[in-house]
Amino acid sequence: MRLWVAGILMLAAVGLWIVLGVRGKESVVPEAARTQAAQSQLPVLGSVVAPLPEGPGKSIAERTCLPCHSGDILRQQRLTEKQWTAVLTKMAGWGAELSDSDRVVLMPYLVSQFGPENNRFQPAAVRPIQP
Amino acid sequence: MAVLSTLVPRRILAAVESMAPSGRHLLQMNAFATDAETPLDALTTYITPNDLFFVRHHWVPAIPDPASWKLTIDGEVSRPLALSLEELKQMPRAEATCVLQCAGNGRALHRPIVPGVQWSYGAVGNARWTGVRVKDLLERAGVRGAAQHLHTFGTDKPPMKVPPFYRSLEMEKVLADGIIAYEMNGEPLPALHGGPARLVVPGWAGDHWMKWLDRLSPQAKPQNGFYMDVAYRYPNEPGEPGVGKKPDEMHPVTELFVKSNITQAPSTVRVGSTATLRGFALSGAPDIAKVELSADGERWEPAHLLPDHDPYAWRLWEHAWIPTQPGKTQLFVRATDSRGSVQPKDAVWNQSGYLYNSWHSVSIEVTG
């Protein structure tokens, strides 16, 4: 288990290193830039980790969600408060550490950042890992 | 024994060693657990290359070491087995070229919006899978008549209190078509895709295709647990979009639904000249009977099906469309499979976003 957690932390660290150090703000390549991507060097699958958006609740989201997920899974959701409530209940049951006071801050963050109007997510164009 | 490892070293190596410019790319949905789909315009060949094949992981996987990996067979058998990869390879080889599609492919297109990985079109591919027939293996183990369900287990272990991804499927299907694949398109099955070995269930959705397979157990009853009793279930009857159903009003996702996608189309074409459109069509039935295109959803023109085919593989198609009127035109495609199922205009909404198969369309500007 400890090895496994270390693995995740290492992956996150490497991803962040590549995002911050190599890719700068181009960590997420928009769909429209695909043809340009063909001529450029793409990040490798799994090496691009987009940060969570700023806002109250960000640090709770990082602490609660990112041990098991990259931020992408949050960034691509477009859920109502009812749907987010169901997700949080499921995740708390599966071991996410979430106090009642955390939940009071986290819910508005999730609903405002990743609600039905959220359209920030674009999949990142990445270089396939060679088999 | 499974080696606890992440893909980190592999990724670092790949990042350092393969920096040559290339247009080949995947669309990453999640860095970890890793999920990535194939761009639709890269799904133009009968066989989808391994490096462009979509990737779907529930968790950071524990990838077995092929040298020490064993496949255990227990349960309703008279001769329990534990076979190494080499021992598996000494058995008669079996092969199937067929579609693997994630049950959630197209989830992002359901309305109202549902939670989960927001796949669009590319969590699908067609590959040649080589390995051993499940039937041969279970017969070698002396499977008993009482066994009605094959319980399947892989080495990926969930974090915290997340339930394990244990599954089962009907013996009738897996004995007829199932393969334990250790090769994908002639190469050792990549670790990203479940190597050393995974289950292949032609015609059925990817949730049955257990990756990093290490145990098979024929049993009288289906497997229990979250991934059988709650997740990967589909409504028995269509309901009102946006209104969820209870697990007992649904059944496990099994066969794929008939669907077709357009992978190549011009953005503009002149009236009277030919626009060539291409795509693929697939189903849980063994073949596709026809693919049709329409500009109004009422009058349909048949597309030409290309000859490459194997049972449960996709069919590539092409169509020469000659527009008669200028203006922006939306062209729809729909497929009909060999059992007569016709792709619907609108997929059945379900709360987990499985098996999306609404008509696909492209918009083409017709100039005068």
Side-chain angles (χ1 to χ4, degrees):
Chain A
M1 186 68 188
R2 196 170 291 171
L3 264 178
W4 185 90
V5 171
I8 284 194
L9 290 173
M10 192 173 160
L11 177 54
V14 168
L16 281 171
W17 172 73
I18 292 174
V19 168
L20 299 174
V22 181
R23 298 294 302 169
K25 290 178 180 171
E26 296 170 88
S27 59
V28 174
V29 180
E31 193 81 15
R34 269 212 242 158
T35 48
Q36 289 170 323
Q39 276 82 45
S40 68
Q41 294 184 346
L42 296 172
V44 173
L45 173 62
S47 70
V48 186
V49 182
L52 293 180
E54 295 298 330
K58 179 189 172 191
S59 60
I60 296 172
E62 287 174 339
R63 174 161 47 79
T64 309
C65 312
L66 301 196
C68 297
H69 303 281
S70 55
D72 309 297
I73 195 68
L74 294 176
R75 290 168 54 89
Q76 66 196 265
Q77 303 307 315
R78 305 170 65 189
L79 305 180
T80 61
E81 184 169 356
K82 188 180 171 193
Q83 287 172 308
W84 271 123
T85 301
V87 169
L88 283 192
T89 301
K90 180 166 94 170
M91 294 302 162
W94 284 358
E97 289 182 20
L98 188 65
S99 67
D100 289 348
S101 58
D102 285 345
R103 197 186 264 255
V104 168
V105 182
L106 185 57
M107 268 305 290
Y109 175 76
L110 295 173
V111 174
S112 63
Q113 298 289 349
F114 315 115
E117 305 306 316
N118 170 30
N119 59 3
R120 63 161 49 78
F121 182 76
Q122 291 284 353
V126 294
R127 178 185 301 277
I129 295 174
Q130 297 300 322
Chain B
M1 193 187 108
V3 174
L4 269 179
S5 76
T6 69
L7 296 171
V8 173
R10 192 185 296 267
R11 282 177 176 135
I12 293 172
L13 283 176
V16 172
E17 290 174 359
S18 66
M19 295 301 277
S22 164
R24 293 170 81 85
H25 67 280
L26 291 171
L27 299 171
Q28 178 185 291
M29 306 300 292
N30 282 308
F32 63 91
T34 306
D35 297 308
E37 67 175 75
T38 314
L40 203 43
D41 61 9
L43 292 173
T44 54
T45 52
Y46 182 62
I47 295 292
T48 310
N50 288 358
D51 66 332
L52 289 181
F53 215 95
F54 81 94
V55 177
R56 197 284 183 259
H57 296 174
H58 278 109
W59 310 295
V60 177
I63 294 170
D65 178 357
S68 55
W69 174 86
K70 283 197 187 279
L71 177 61
T72 301
I73 298 158
D74 57 23
E76 291 286 345
V77 295
S78 54
R79 296 180 293 277
L81 296 173
L83 297 178
S84 69
L85 190 55
E86 284 311 310
E87 288 169 320
L88 206 60
K89 286 180 176 177
Q90 284 162 17
M91 292 184 65
R93 281 165 69 90
E95 195 170 282
T97 298
C98 60
V99 165
L100 168 56
Q101 179 176 239
C102 177
N105 191 28
R107 178 178 291 124
L109 309 167
H110 278 289
R111 292 293 180 274
I113 290 163
V114 295
V117 180
Q118 298 296 297
W119 302 111
S120 291
Y121 299 104
V124 62
N126 194 55
R128 180 159 51 91
W129 312 93
T130 306
V132 174
R133 273 187 200 85
V134 172
K135 183 171 186 286
D136 290 349
L137 203 58
L138 293 187
E139 283 178 356
R140 182 171 166 181
V143 63
R144 298 193 182 106
Q148 296 297 310
H149 301 267
L150 182 63
H151 294 212
T152 63
F153 305 84
T155 60
D156 55 338
K157 298 288 181 286
M160 302 194 205
K161 290 187 264 177
V162 180
F165 185 70
Y166 295 158
R167 302 273 309 168
S168 66
L169 73 167
E170 286 75 3
M171 288 289 281
E172 187 183 353
K173 172 65 181 176
V174 79
L175 287 177
D177 298 320
I179 288 177
I180 293 140
Y182 49 73
E183 287 180 14
M184 178 179 182
N185 294 329
E187 296 172 354
L189 182 66
L192 269 188
H193 297 290
R198 77 180 303 170
L199 192 60
V200 167
V201 189
W204 283 26
D207 52 308
H208 294 279
W209 295 44
M210 183 66 72
K211 293 189 285 288
W212 311 293
L213 186 71
D214 71 343
R215 183 181 162 213
L216 295 172
S217 187
Q219 299 286 346
K221 298 264 171 66
Q223 180 95 251
N224 293 120
F226 178 80
Y227 290 101
M228 291 298 297
D229 301 332
V230 179
Y232 293 107
R233 294 178 81 86
Y234 192 84
N236 296 335
E237 299 293 335
E240 189 184 331
V243 179
K245 293 192 180 267
K246 293 174 189 151
D248 63 2
E249 298 172 315
M250 301 190 285
H251 57 273
V253 168
T254 57
E255 286 188 353
L256 299 175
F257 289 169
V258 62
K259 75 187 279 191
S260 182
N261 282 107
I262 299 164
T263 56
Q264 288 178 301
S267 53
T268 62
V269 62
R270 276 193 189 170
V271 169
S273 63
T274 300
T276 302
L277 290 91
R278 294 187 176 85
F280 60 79
L282 62 90
S283 176
D287 199 1
I288 293 294
K290 63 180 175 182
V291 171
E292 302 165 291
L293 288 101
S294 174
D296 60 10
E298 290 175 6
R299 290 164 298 170
W300 295 87
E301 300 175 13
H304 171 65
L305 299 182
L306 300 192
D308 281 338
H309 187 64
D310 295 271
Y312 305 104
W314 64 23
R315 280 273 187 185
L316 300 183
W317 56 264
E318 57 186 31
H319 182 62
W321 181 60
I322 303 176
T324 55
Q325 289 181 339
K328 206 173 190 62
T329 305
Q330 196 175 10
L331 267 188
F332 297 92
V333 65
R334 74 174 184 192
T336 303
D337 70 24
S338 54
R339 294 184 194 141
S341 294
V342 184
Q343 184 178 351
K345 181 171 185 289
D346 297 305
V348 171
W349 184 91
N350 60 98
Q351 66 236 49
S352 299
Y354 297 131
L355 298 175
Y356 179 88
N357 69 335
S358 299
W359 295 349
H360 184 216
S361 70
V362 289
S363 188
I364 300 177
E365 187 70 43
V366 182
T367 57

